[in-house]
Amino acid sequence: MPTGSDPDLADQQRKHWQHTYAGHPRMYGHEPSAPAVHAAAVFAEAGAREVLELGAGHGRDALYFARTGLRVTATDISRSGLDQLQQDAEAQQLTGRLATVAHDARDPLPLAVQSVDGVFAHMLLCMALSTAEISALVGEVARVLRPGGTFVYTVRHTGDAHYGAGTAHGDDIFEHGGFAVHFFSQELVERLAQGWDLDEVHAFEEGGLPRRLWRITQRRPR
């Protein structure tokens, strides 16, 4: 099993997303994703005040979190996506509640220990990351979460129609239409939940294929 992602693939994907957001501004629209609406309710029930979104893109979900009253740090590898997010935050007068940080998910998170109450990631963990890199990222999430903090993330899984299709890169990573996806197995979800309280693994569909995903909610023990 690979211990790290292919540097050429990772660089290609970074450029692909940069060009995608630059060429298709606000490509996902302005309405929040269904997983973000769920996460906001989970965060509110837990009394969260500060949250981190990984892979925020152009920010439809980060902006929604800020509108609900949360303080949000939004990260993404694409500077063009984050520029769109910053523009919309200024237009909606949310800059006091929202900060953007360009960040590669393979690197340590740019936050202090136990500095946020919640973390959200919509399909970031199933990008072109190796299993080892995903495990390291979840470890970083645990580091920055306060005790009792919640991590809500979504991933495409091995029941998806694109699993096994396109160009295989090993480690359950397949590239289709220019986008490389690491498809999650149930075993990987359970492995990433070790040391956490696993609240839910919810299956849902999204998009026209449709894409088949899991929404995972897990909490850092107090």
Side-chain angles (χ1 to χ4, degrees):
M1 179 178 292
T3 58
S5 60
D6 180 345
D8 292 335
L9 176 63
D11 185 58
Q12 178 264 325
Q13 288 293 293
R14 178 185 61 79
K15 293 176 180 177
H16 186 68
W17 279 105
Q18 181 77 359
H19 293 156
T20 297
Y21 282 125
H24 304 278
R26 297 162 181 83
M27 60 185 287
Y28 294 114
H30 294 282
E31 294 301 313
S33 67
V37 174
H38 168 82
V42 170
F43 295 152
E45 183 178 357
R49 300 182 305 277
E50 298 170 302
V51 301
L52 166 67
E53 182 181 359
L54 304 173
H58 63 75
R60 60 174 179 156
D61 292 338
L63 291 163
Y64 175 72
F65 292 144
R67 289 196 299 270
T68 68
L70 293 165
R71 290 188 174 276
V72 185
T73 300
T75 70
D76 199 274
I77 199 170
S78 169
R79 187 70 258 178
S80 60
L82 292 178
D83 287 345
Q84 294 168 37
L85 168 51
Q86 194 64 43
Q87 292 167 10
D88 288 344
E90 291 171 1
Q92 297 178 36
Q93 299 183 327
L94 293 171
T95 54
R97 290 193 168 277
L98 199 151
T100 60
V101 181
H103 174 258
D104 188 322
R106 296 170 297 172
D107 297 331
L109 291 174
L111 277 75
V113 173
Q114 298 185 15
S115 57
V116 295
D117 304 300
V119 177
F120 176 72
H122 185 25
M123 293 208 293
L124 183 277
L125 272 68
C126 63
M127 296 295 181
L129 300 170
S130 70
T131 297
E133 288 164 343
I134 295 167
S135 297
L137 177 57
V138 173
E140 278 291 288
V141 170
R143 179 183 67 82
V144 303
L145 272 175
R146 296 183 177 113
T150 307
F151 182 27
V152 180
Y153 71 95
T154 67
V155 291
R156 294 173 74 175
H157 58 72
T158 53
D160 187 275
H162 279 162
Y163 177 64
T167 303
H169 293 280
D171 205 9
D172 278 340
I173 298 173
F174 294 88
E175 184 179 349
H176 190 276
F179 295 94
V181 176
H182 188 140
F183 293 89
F184 272 49
S185 64
Q186 183 69 38
E187 186 274 333
L188 179 54
V189 171
E190 292 172 356
R191 188 191 315 175
L192 295 174
Q194 291 179 3
W196 297 72
D197 295 328
L198 180 59
D199 289 352
E200 180 186 43
V201 179
H202 171 75
F204 71 103
E205 297 181 347
E206 184 179 81
L209 185 61
R211 293 184 295 269
R212 294 178 178 171
L213 300 98
W214 286 323
R215 186 191 70 217
I216 295 97
T217 305
Q218 57 191 54
R219 298 178 191 271
R220 186 178 172 213
R222 294 187 181 276

